Amino acid sequence: MYTLIDGKKTSAEIREEIRGEVEALKKSGHRAPHLAAILVGHDGASETYVAAKERACREVGFDSTVIRLEEDVREEDLLDQVRRINGDPAIDGLIVQLPLPEHLDEQKVIETILPEKDVDGFHPVNVGRMVIGLPAFISATPAGILELIKRYGIPTEGRHCVVIGRSNIVGKPMSILLARKADPGNCTVTVCHSRTRDLAAITRQADIVIAALGKAGFLKGDMVKEGVAVIDVGITRLPSDKTKSGWKLYGDVDFETVAPKSSYITPVPGGVGPMTIVSLLKNTLLAARKEIYR
Ligand code: NAP
């Protein structure tokens, strides 16, 4: 029988903890942590994500500011906004909602954010610090997965972890974090990607599989061994005539065939997804307390 990893419940518990810490911070005379988000254009998914982040800030007692810029904003004007927030002592964390319109250089924008305020953990300074094991803002999805592994007590030391996907925001940081000399960590990690040969032969050796490739139902029961712990990061939205909204979310794992063989498994939705925003809140709290960069 497997343990279902409940990201919704865990994220609610963490939000409660953060709310308590914000109250304590305010009682000791500090202002509330303050997260700023820059949203360029009117992309529906980006609007939804930013609204969810604003709501989450309110729920835990953070201040939040959203700066809306038009789709055709000049890169220099966007960078000026970033620099203004960098210099604003009343703002602790800054995120620029991605993706940006094509005429804007995402990497340049990310690198303009002060590493001390880069609560998304995308700045090369934070990525580099994470790689060599220095205190760093760790990007929200990998940080959320680590927290689930920790809170559910999934053993990692000496275990073989197979990460499917090598993106900068999920697969790559995940593989580095789990190979670190830390707890959770100390895994033997294999990273798979679209050029990997005989992927199933590799996933069958895994004690832990982290599926982050973005292909609905990709990992099937015959690709894993008995007792595997499975973290499903994928979110694919497919049309459905069975839901009111007309679409349904699918993970990268074929839950029906994989769950019976697993020791732990995350559902989609309700697994990794809810942990992402809470990790962003946690990073903002760390920024407000100056815990990463002293
Ligand atoms: P991405 O940038 O598209 O990267 C996908 C990775 O999967 C790439 O490294 C790619 O290999 C690899 N891949 C693609 N097809 C493959 C195959 N058939 N076999 C093996 N590897 C394959 O995606 P991402 O941003 O990492 O996101 C991955 C998934 O997680 C998406 O569904 C996304 O929506 C979801 N996601 C969820 C959250 C959350 O909060 N739950 C957060 C972020 C992302 P190559 O490098 O060779 O192209």
Side-chain angles (χ1 to χ4, degrees), residues 83-99:
R83 292 187 198 106
R84 185 181 62 75
I85 295 167
N86 281 345
D88 185 342
I91 295 178
D92 304 296
L94 166 62
I95 56 167
V96 177
Q97 187 62 44
L98 303 178

Side-chain angles (χ1 to χ4, degrees), residues 105-223:
D105 180 346
E106 266 182 22
Q107 198 54 32
K108 195 166 172 188
V109 175
I110 289 169
E111 289 184 30
T112 304
I113 300 173
L114 211 58
E116 288 88 332
K117 296 197 178 188
D118 167 43
V119 287
D120 258 341
F122 293 156
H123 193 289
V125 167
N126 278 312
V127 178
R129 289 173 66 104
M130 182 229 5
V131 171
I132 60 174
L134 288 174
F137 290 116
I138 294 171
S139 57
T141 303
I145 293 170
L146 274 191
E147 199 61 37
L148 284 177
I149 289 175
K150 193 153 101 190
R151 290 189 183 230
Y152 275 83
I154 299 174
T156 57
E157 186 168 322
R159 306 305 202 274
H160 183 198
C161 175
V162 173
V163 180
I164 315 175
R166 57 176 167 184
S167 72
N168 286 341
I169 63 161
V170 190
K172 208 178 286 170
M174 211 55 248
S175 62
I176 292 164
L177 289 164
L178 283 170
R180 285 203 306 192
K181 205 168 195 167
D183 184 25
N186 283 317
C187 283
T188 303
V189 176
T190 304
V191 183
C192 297
H193 44 76
S194 67
R195 312 292 166 92
T196 298
R197 286 192 203 160
D198 200 0
L199 188 138
I202 299 167
T203 52
R204 271 187 219 112
Q205 297 169 31
D207 301 305
I208 302 168
V209 176
I210 307 215
L213 68 158
K215 300 249 180 314
F218 176 87
L219 189 79
K220 304 271 193 289
D222 62 357
M223 296 166 73

